Amino acid sequence: MNNQYVRREVFCRNSCHELKRFWEREIGKQACYRESEEHRLGRSALRKLREEWKQRLETKLRLRNNPDEAEKRTNVSSELPASPTDRGAEVTPLEAS
């Protein structure tokens, strides 16, 4: 662009302050928007869901890489009763009284 088409404005003291106030307001608006967005994302359940899925995937990968560990887990879980009714006729001393 040629210099003859460039418009140069000379700012006097008042217009400089107006320009400064304008940009301060714009920056303030952006700061408020950013804070509200961070607050909204903090309340979101998305982060928690991502962490849960990440843990699930890590567990699956770990079990896929170590099949011996998977067998141990299934053996331990099959040996433990799932609920008190699964124990059958076992009666503990506290239950007999």
Side-chain angles (χ1 to χ4, degrees), residues 14-26:
N14 292 337
S15 62
C16 287
H17 288 297
E18 290 173 11
L19 188 61
K20 181 180 175 184
R21 271 188 278 145
F22 168 78
W23 284 113
E24 286 175 348
R25 276 189 243 122
E26 289 298 313

Side-chain angles (χ1 to χ4, degrees), residues 44-59 62:
S44 173
L46 186 59
R47 181 177 293 144
K48 183 179 177 182
L49 290 173
R50 283 184 176 160
E51 284 297 319
E52 288 177 8
W53 279 104
K54 182 181 173 183
Q55 289 175 356
R56 287 182 185 183
L57 288 173
E58 287 174 353
T59 303
R62 200 176 326 118

Side-chain angles (χ1 to χ4, degrees), residues 1-8:
M1 187 175 222
N2 293 337
N3 284 338
Q4 65 185 3
Y5 297 115
V6 174
R7 182 176 174 195
R8 293 190 174 113

Side-chain angles (χ1 to χ4, degrees), residues 87 89-97:
R87 290 187 290 184
E90 286 183 23
V91 178
T92 61
L94 293 175
E95 292 174 350
S97 5

